[in-house]
Amino acid sequence: MATLALASWATNLTYSDLTTSVVDSAVKSIYNWAGCAIGGYGQDAPSIAQATTQAFFGGPPTSSILGSNGSIGDTYADAQLAALINGIASHIDDYDDTHLETIIHPTGVVASALLAVAEWQGPVTGEDFITALVAGIEAECKLGLSVYPQHYDIGWHITSTTGSIGAAVAVGKLIGLNTTQMQNAIGVASTQVVGMQVFFGSMTKSFHVGRATQGGMLGALLAKNGYTSSLEALEAEYGWLHVVSTRENATAYFDQLGKVWEIEKNTFKPFPCGIVMHPTIDGAIQIHNESASQGKSVSSIKSINLVVNSQVLVLTGKTAPTTGLEGKFSIYHAAAVGLLYGEATPSQFTDEVVNNATVVAMRQKVNVTTNDAEYNTAQALVTVEFDDGSTVEKNIVHAIGSLENPMTEADLKKKFIDQVTKQIGPARAEKAYAAFTNIGNMTDIGALRTLY
């Protein structure tokens, strides 16, 4: 009875059930998401989506679009549209958080739905917001664990396929659904399964997150008003678990709800691209810095040899990307920019940089070998040979941003400020950081947008 188990746990969860560590992880997840949503709004995808929908489908403007820096009419939209735009913006840079065991980016879908509803139907306290967020993240990550890796391996985009259900649970928690209503909300969300991997490297990848945000929110709101669904939407013979995966173990993982907290395993990206490229980038940046300290020029690099897990090539094997979005799924581009720039920020994943002649030439020096026996997807061996015959090698076992080598709070603040400053300037970026890091103490989440 997986659907009932999840619904019962979520409806009974209280803020007092959350440990200090869980709350801390939730706050970090929220402000990391907000930074991604504000910074990502400057990309083309959110503005196209907003221009396409707001003038023709929008209702009363109740909820904020976090990164909008324009008039009040641009800054606020109806809840469904705000959820869509914030969801797209938070994922378009591929800079959002990652639950490494499932490769789910958990906060974007859940928080984008929650904020839209909290502003629309508030007041909602920070504690209630955090409780609902945790409920949604635990739901999607436990669900993901129960079908991973088979679900992912057959081509689903697990962030959005589980995220809509996480959003339904979170919004359902926020608006006070009872257990049966929560089961119905889960059902309506689960039938809106969305997202396939063929769209990675295009704007549609972020659309998955925006649409899952809307779908989960709608599921909860419909259920609140008496809309019915299957009460066994997840576990039934033709339910979500069996239709989208050849394996499921939901009972075992749902038994861990409230005992093993998945949000505590959430990690934060130092680089805005596919997570499996991070070990390579980490190694490339280290080689860039070491070479510079030794007076070696990256222009004298003769060859770049990578040893990675085969799944890295499956997900990020684009040898000749032509857009910034495609570059986020090119292990060749990842190695090239790490070596050339000594960093990998959104600035290194633009159309201009992807097509830069120097970058293209460096990409062409990259050779990739797979070795699944010695390297998992979180590891990489990067070896660079210079024209003089010398070599530099970095074997990355725990890349920066991993659970074993996490970003510090100072790192996370810098990431936030750098993203947000591009969109709304440094002074407002500092105010936004203060607002979102203090979210647990707020009496009305609806005031967030007014604080920066």
Side-chain angles (χ1 to χ4, degrees), residues 3 97 102 181 185 193 227 256 434:
T3 311
D97 53 351
T102 58
Q181 290 172 325
V193 60
Y227 210 88
Q256 298 176 359

Side-chain angles (χ1 to χ4, degrees), residues 27 31 126 130 432-443 448 451:
V27 172
Y31 74 75
I130 288 172
Y433 179 79
F436 282 99
T437 54
N438 189 50
I439 194 167
N441 298 316
M442 295 190 69
T443 57
L448 265 173
L451 297 178

Side-chain angles (χ1 to χ4, degrees), residues 279-342:
T280 291
I281 295 174
D282 193 343
I285 290 173
Q286 289 186 39
I287 292 174
H288 170 96
N289 294 338
E290 186 175 310
S291 300
S293 69
Q294 296 174 356
K296 289 180 177 289
S297 170
V298 293
S299 64
S300 65
I301 289 175
K302 179 180 179 181
S303 65
I304 305 155
N305 295 294
L306 311 178
V307 181
V308 298
N309 186 274
S310 61
Q311 190 68 12
V312 175
L313 280 182
V314 172
L315 296 172
T316 63
K318 297 181 185 296
T319 56
T322 58
T323 67
L325 290 176
E326 287 182 343
K328 294 174 181 292
F329 292 89
S330 171
I331 191 68
Y332 303 90
H333 184 72
V337 297
L339 288 164
L340 283 169
Y341 295 88

